[in-house]
Amino acid sequence: MARNNSSRNANNGNGSDSSAPNGSAPPTTNQDLRAITNPLSQLTTIKLEEDNFLLWKFQVENIILGYGLEEFIYGTCDVPPRLIAGEANPAYVLYQRQDRLLISWLLASISTSYLPQLIGCSSSHQIWTTV
């Protein structure tokens, strides 16, 4: 998904232009949300615990690779500028949405005993490198 942002910005999958007027965020379609949220939570069978890091990492990393989101956790994704000519950049908004959904999913796959160590992480890359 991260690699197809340019085509998504031009056409959100339902035949309409996804750009929004006045620099506001393009709308999130049901297709976008289904592509991230439902399958990820259903594919994760274990949570990170004290004794299963390698198994958890193997499972989570393969799911992330399968969805093409590895650039987010590896920190190799180019972050679009927040503003363009003083207006909100729709590409940045989409980047933030994807990263926040990935953060939420990663946190849901981690035992609550480890979550306090992740307070202050503001990106999926920070969470991945901290874990």
Side-chain angles (χ1 to χ4, degrees), residues 35-91:
I36 287 279
T37 55
N38 293 339
L40 290 178
S41 61
Q42 293 172 2
L43 291 173
T44 308
T45 59
I46 59 169
K47 286 190 171 204
L48 177 61
E49 300 283 348
E50 185 176 315
D51 60 348
N52 67 350
F53 174 75
L54 292 177
L55 182 60
W56 173 86
K57 182 181 178 194
F58 179 73
Q59 174 184 252
V60 168
E61 192 168 32
N62 276 293
I63 293 169
I64 291 169
L65 289 168
Y67 278 94
L69 299 172
E70 64 273 8
E71 294 173 328
F72 285 86
I73 63 166
Y74 297 149
T76 58
C77 187
D78 292 329
V79 179
R82 180 176 279 187
L83 300 174
I84 296 178
E87 299 287 330
N89 180 359

Side-chain angles (χ1 to χ4, degrees), residues 85-96:
E87 299 287 330
N89 180 359
Y92 179 78
V93 172
L94 289 175
Y95 165 83
Q96 280 294 311

